Amino acid sequence: MKILPWMIEISDCGADSREFRESIFSLGNGYMGTRGFRPEEPGAHSAWRSTFISGFFEYIRPGITDMVNQPDFSAAEIRIAGRPVTELPLSDFRQRLYMDCGLAEWEYTAQAEGAAVRIKVEKFLSMSERHTAAMRFTLTPVNSAVDCSVAVGLDGAVRNLPIADNQLQENTEFARIWGEVRTEPLEGGGMLRARTHVSGRATAMCFSAQGRGHERSSRELDGEYVGSRFEARLEPGRRLTVEKLVSVACFRDGPEPERLACEALKRAAARGFEGLLEDTQLAWSELWQDMDIELTGSAEWQGALRYNIFQLIQSTPEGDGRASIGARGLTHGRYKGCYFWDTEIFMLPMFSCMRPAAARSLLEYRYHTLDDAVKSAAGFSAKGARYSWMSADTGFEQCETWDTGCCEIHITADIAYAIGSYFEQTGDEAFLRDCGCEILIQTARYWTDRFNYCPAEDRYHLLFVKGPDEYCGVTSDDFYSVRMAAHNLRLAARAVGFLQERFPEKLAELGLKLGLGADEPGKWLELAGKTCERFDEERGLWLQDATFEYLEPLDIAAHKTGNLPLYRSISFDRLQRYKVLKQPAVLMYMALRPGEFSQDELRAAWDYYEPRTLHDSTLSYGIHALLAARLGLGDAAVSYFEKSLFLDLRDVMSSTGREGIHAASLGATWQAVVFGFCGLTLRDGVPACEPRLPPHIGSVRFHVRARGRRYRIELSHFGSVITEICEL
Ligand code: BGC
């Protein structure tokens, strides 16, 4: 693989790397995403040729949903001398992804009956018309005349592959989500309408196809497929080109998805393939003006860093407050497409700093699901709002592993933390007033019910919890969860103060709606001040939880070779009795709120927990890189950073093909660069930097937004220059 500053190139087309390539070349525009399969190559199964729409889920069991694999709008077939290219020997294969404009391109030579034909396939999802995708197929015989044909269409015969959240369970059972699929030819193309089997959720797709250089064209209609075929006997040097434009709309867009899809197709057809590509390039260049990070010193690091940012942008439903970013974005149905703390803790900081509008819509999703969180809390006999560990289009729990779903409750505090940080950076009072305060108040109320008071100690304990280190079993007083909950409680008290001062009418309205007692903020603060965290004075060490110190030591080097997670070879039950961590926990909290600790405490925690951490989650490397950079541990910072930076591009965990792109790691990589190597802080909305660049990075340049102002930040080993930019 070649990683260039703006392009990724792969020249291997072997079957072994196919799933990997399909993940890496995934395309998305926030509204929808599609895996990077070659349109003309049939999937090993239709569930692998996946296309998703942000926020489009359907029930597969009572209460449990899956992200829906949409009808296949990339359907295509190329034939040379009557034979599908996928059965022919291919040579000179090259596959490229252009990150400046979101274009994927495949080029290769296919041989049939002595004729060699050069084939180029291009595909992109429009960033300017988010309901639109475009493809172009170009066939050029090289040495002798040959019969060529290209068929393109829409295919509704697709299945889902719901994958359980139990990481050991691979699913091989496909689910049919679409109850009804209807296709019809239209002038110059066709239309497909489909409804899901349980809730009747509709998707409509239209396509138009235009050929050049063909002798004949025909329509094809076969059950759930509608398409157009273009055929010609081509002389060497003559070309057959087929351009396919597709538009997609669904029930989420309004009551008439068919009309919306038809209108989108008309707009797309008026621009054509080239026009749409130009508009998309322009839209991407505007995004890159906000989000790019320029590095000097390593072209590979530069390209890989852009790839991390690029993939995160592609999966982000900016402007749609009813959806968030799944753990694998829109690149795979792993975890049933669900949303985790991954969004708020790992991905959101990039958007808060660089693209606040996107950060805001991600947080709006949590407001959209607040009522469900209130019902969930009630289901756990608690007041307030309890957010689900895994959620989808509703806020109801999608996690089917009981200990995680019931006990990994820190997500509620993570959401509160994210609201606090977003407000701190952006100063977005309207969001805090209209959405944030209510979330903070309701989540604080949940904690008042979730902690248990011990009169003998005059302390509150957090019992039966699972921290971010999921190998801790079900434990008590998990440091991360306790501190985050205390922060949540304090933020809620501050939120009430904020309303009192800035928007007293809103406070009165909320007070009435929620039955807010005047004594509640005081109780929150009292609880926050009496939680139980364990500090070992002798070692100067913050302890992870109530049980970690009782666990049995494990010789990690003897058990873990390479980067494969240990849960593949040792059972969870055994793992949770070893003194090892799946991913950072105390260190995770320290990464988020370093100001609460002395340098000695940070170092002691690093020295103790880092050697015991297995990095069995992809969320681990980037956070360790960030902490190592802050602690001045240059070599460790670089070594962790490289794992995070290339996590998917080099398939570090051997799961990128099977599971898709790891969205939280993309965000952690960004944090390692900006908060770690560049040492960016935004206290009171004022950016400051403390560069700790690795030796082979010469300089870094990027932009941030804070409290309505925009800044250019330039750093080198000698210091940093921060310039405010006037925006017209
Ligand atoms: C990690 C969680 C994470 C989830 C989804 C798990 O392996 O332990 O922290 O939220 O994956 O990415």
Side-chain angles (χ1 to χ4, degrees):
M1 179 189 291
K2 260 198 234 161
I3 303 173
L4 302 175
W6 284 106
M7 198 247 283
I8 307 292
E9 181 179 289
I10 297 185
S11 45
D12 150 44
C13 65
D16 290 352
S17 65
R18 178 171 166 179
E19 288 173 2
F20 168 71
R21 283 182 278 125
E22 290 183 354
S23 288
I24 292 296
F25 284 78
S26 291
L27 296 177
N29 62 11
Y31 175 77
M32 56 189 174
T34 180
R35 283 177 58 76
F37 50 85
R38 270 166 52 208
E40 72 283 13
E41 187 177 39
H45 190 283
S46 65
W48 281 103
R49 282 179 66 97
S50 0
T51 297
F52 302 107
I53 294 180
S54 275
F56 193 134
F57 294 85
E58 172 59 304
Y59 291 95
I60 46 168
R61 280 187 286 287
I64 297 294
T65 57
D66 197 12
M67 181 162 71
V68 174
N69 185 16
Q70 297 293 319
D72 181 12
F73 64 59
S74 305
E77 190 198 51
I78 298 177
R79 284 177 180 263
I80 309 293
R83 293 180 58 199
V85 272
T86 43
E87 290 173 11
L88 302 176
L90 307 185
S91 55
D92 298 326
F93 180 88
R94 205 169 302 121
Q95 169 169 3
R96 292 186 176 131
L97 178 65
Y98 297 94
M99 295 180 284
D100 58 339
C101 61
L103 175 76
E105 176 189 279
W106 297 263
E107 272 190 283
Y108 54 91
T109 304
Q111 311 267 352
E113 294 176 0
V117 179
R118 192 73 188 150
I119 296 173
K120 182 170 174 181
V121 177
E122 296 150 284
K123 175 173 171 178
F124 65 93
L125 303 193
S126 169
M127 260 297 174
S128 54
E129 285 282 350
R130 300 216 183 192
H131 292 265
T132 301
M135 278 151 264
R136 179 160 64 190
F137 303 82
T138 310
L139 279 61
T140 319
V142 180
N143 54 354
S144 57
V146 63
D147 291 332
C148 295
S149 87
V150 175
V152 293
L154 305 172
D155 185 2
V158 298
R159 297 286 181 275
N160 262 50
L161 182 65
I163 304 174
D165 41 274
N166 175 346
Q167 285 163 314
L168 286 173
Q169 222 174 305
E170 294 297 335
N171 186 17
T172 47
E173 278 176 34
F174 298 100
R176 189 179 162 112
I177 297 267
W178 297 104
E180 178 197 309
V181 178
R182 281 186 292 150
T183 50
E184 60 182 276
L186 299 176
E187 185 61 39
M191 173 172 231
L192 182 151
R193 278 173 279 209
R195 279 187 183 278
T196 57
H197 65 330
V198 177
S199 319
R201 295 174 177 172
T203 285
M205 293 181 175
C206 300
F207 86 94
S208 70
Q210 260 198 340
R212 278 197 303 277
H214 59 286
E215 291 161 349
R216 286 174 305 284
S217 70
S218 52
R219 290 172 173 179
E220 297 181 330
L221 192 63
D222 179 10
E224 296 173 329
Y225 176 82
V226 57
S228 306
R229 185 175 289 277
F230 298 84
E231 295 169 276
R233 181 159 185 86
L234 290 184
E235 296 295 328
R238 299 295 298 272
R239 269 191 197 160
L240 170 61
T241 305
V242 175
E243 288 180 0
K244 173 188 187 185
L245 304 179
V246 181
S247 60
V248 182
C250 73
F251 76 103
R252 299 184 79 253
D253 305 310
E256 295 176 90
E258 294 167 23
R259 185 178 54 78
L260 294 175
C262 288
E263 285 171 6
L265 188 68
K266 269 195 206 128
R267 287 195 301 273
R271 292 295 289 142
F273 182 95
E274 284 296 335
L276 279 172
L277 184 56
E278 240 171 65
D279 298 346
T280 294
Q281 187 150 22
L282 197 67
W284 269 106
S285 82
E286 279 165 16
L287 282 161
W288 282 119
Q289 272 172 30
D290 280 344
M291 319 278 288
D292 193 23
I293 301 182
E294 291 172 80
L295 295 177
T296 61
S298 164
E300 213 181 25
W301 273 33
Q302 171 71 85
L305 180 58
R306 286 208 174 107
Y307 181 79
N308 278 254
I309 299 170
F310 174 78
Q311 282 298 0
L312 209 41
I313 295 173
Q314 292 206 111
S315 283
T316 303
E318 182 177 334
D320 177 354
R322 296 165 304 144
S324 185
I325 311 172
R328 301 293 176 265
L330 296 169
T331 71
H332 200 276
R334 176 91 197 159
Y335 291 122
K336 300 175 298 221
C338 284
Y339 314 137
F340 294 71
W341 71 315
D342 302 31
T343 308
E344 281 75 16
I345 298 297
F346 295 82
M347 309 175 212
L348 198 87
M350 175 178 96
F351 293 109
S352 292
C353 285
M354 293 183 149
R355 191 99 181 154
R360 179 177 174 144
S361 60
L362 292 169
L363 290 175
E364 278 168 354
Y365 163 77
R366 297 301 186 178
Y367 187 68
H368 172 68
T369 53
L370 177 62
D371 287 348
D372 298 341
V374 170
K375 288 183 194 134
S376 298
F380 281 87
S381 308
K383 295 195 292 264
R386 176 195 187 278
Y387 281 96
S388 299
W389 178 242
M390 292 170 65
S391 62
D393 53 345
T394 73
F396 295 114
E397 188 60 78
Q398 297 299 312
C399 179
E400 296 172 272
T401 318
W402 83 264
D403 57 337
T404 309
C406 291
C407 305
E408 200 154 354
I409 52 176
H410 61 80
I411 182 162
T412 292
D414 298 331
I415 291 164
Y417 163 87
I419 291 170
S421 313
Y422 168 78
F423 178 65
E424 170 75 18
Q425 284 171 25
T426 61
D428 183 350
E429 291 196 340
F431 173 78
L432 195 63
R433 179 194 61 207
D434 299 339
C435 309
C437 285
E438 191 172 342
I439 298 180
L440 293 173
I441 291 169
Q442 290 289 50
T443 48
R445 283 175 154 182
Y446 168 69
W447 293 117
T448 59
D449 248 3
R450 187 57 178 79
F451 278 85
N452 284 86
Y453 183 62
C454 171
E457 297 173 24
D458 188 24
R459 292 220 155 265
Y460 292 87
H461 289 280
L462 191 59
L463 307 176
F464 309 112
V465 286
K466 189 184 268 301
D469 162 25
E470 294 182 337
Y471 291 166
C472 64
V474 175
T475 181
S476 293
D477 293 329
D478 166 66
F479 180 84
Y480 177 91
S481 310
V482 170
R483 279 265 171 129
M484 289 297 273
H487 182 55
N488 186 162
L489 289 156
R490 292 191 179 103
L491 283 172
R494 284 226 299 270
V496 172
F498 160 80
L499 288 179
Q500 218 151 24
E501 198 187 309
R502 302 277 299 119
F503 304 100
E505 334 73 58
K506 180 71 189 179
L507 180 61
E509 181 198 317
L510 258 190
L512 219 55
K513 176 177 171 191
L514 306 177
L516 185 68
D519 59 340
E520 286 191 60
K523 286 186 180 155
W524 301 334
L525 293 177
E526 198 231 10
L527 165 54
K530 290 186 177 173
T531 55
C532 184
E533 295 127 66
R534 293 170 166 77
F535 185 68
D536 179 335
E537 297 284 351
E538 222 162 89
R539 291 180 286 172
L541 183 69
W542 287 101
L543 300 181
Q544 178 168 307
D545 56 37
T547 48
F548 192 77
E549 294 308 297
Y550 299 114
L551 301 175
E552 183 186 330
L554 177 74
D555 178 359
I556 295 182
H559 287 85
K560 180 153 173 158
T561 43
N563 298 320
L564 271 190
L566 218 52
Y567 58 71
R568 300 211 165 270
S569 49
I570 301 181
S571 80
F572 265 91
D573 179 61
R574 192 75 194 86
L575 268 177
Q576 62 195 9
R577 286 181 289 118
Y578 283 128
K579 198 185 257 190
V580 289
L581 293 85
K582 182 181 183 193
Q583 62 202 79
V586 172
L587 288 178
M588 186 71 227
Y589 186 81
M590 291 177 163
L592 299 180
R593 297 186 55 77
E596 289 179 18
F597 304 93
S598 70
Q599 201 61 19
D600 286 349
E601 286 170 352
L602 294 170
R603 185 61 206 240
W606 173 274
D607 289 344
Y608 188 64
Y609 294 111
E610 187 266 346
R612 293 174 172 81
T613 304
L614 295 166
H615 313 293
D616 282 358
S617 159
T618 55
L619 280 58
S620 198
Y621 296 123
I623 298 302
H624 278 87
L626 154 61
L627 284 163
R630 280 197 187 140
L631 286 167
L633 305 169
D635 291 348
V638 168
S639 133
Y640 279 124
F641 180 66
E642 289 210 297
K643 288 202 168 141
S644 190
L645 178 68
F646 295 108
L647 188 99
D648 288 309
L649 288 169
R650 289 190 186 147
D651 200 8
V652 169
M653 298 282 264
S654 311
S655 61
T656 295
R658 205 161 19 92
E659 296 192 355
I661 301 298
H662 298 81
S665 169
L666 306 174
T669 301
W670 182 94
Q671 293 191 47
V673 173
V674 173
F675 299 149
F677 295 142
C678 301
L680 176 76
T681 52
L682 284 157
R683 243 162 250 132
D684 300 323
V686 181
C689 282
E690 204 182 311
R692 312 161 191 116
L693 300 184
H696 56 294
I697 292 301
S699 63
V700 182
R701 204 157 82 123
F702 59 96
H703 293 87
V704 296
R705 290 179 190 275
R707 308 241 177 136
R709 293 161 192 260
R710 186 158 190 254
Y711 302 89
R712 183 175 47 245
I713 302 194
E714 292 162 289
L715 303 99
S716 69
H717 292 271
F718 309 105
S720 62
V721 179
I722 301 180
T723 321
E724 188 177 340
I725 298 174
C726 276
E727 283 186 300
L728 297 176

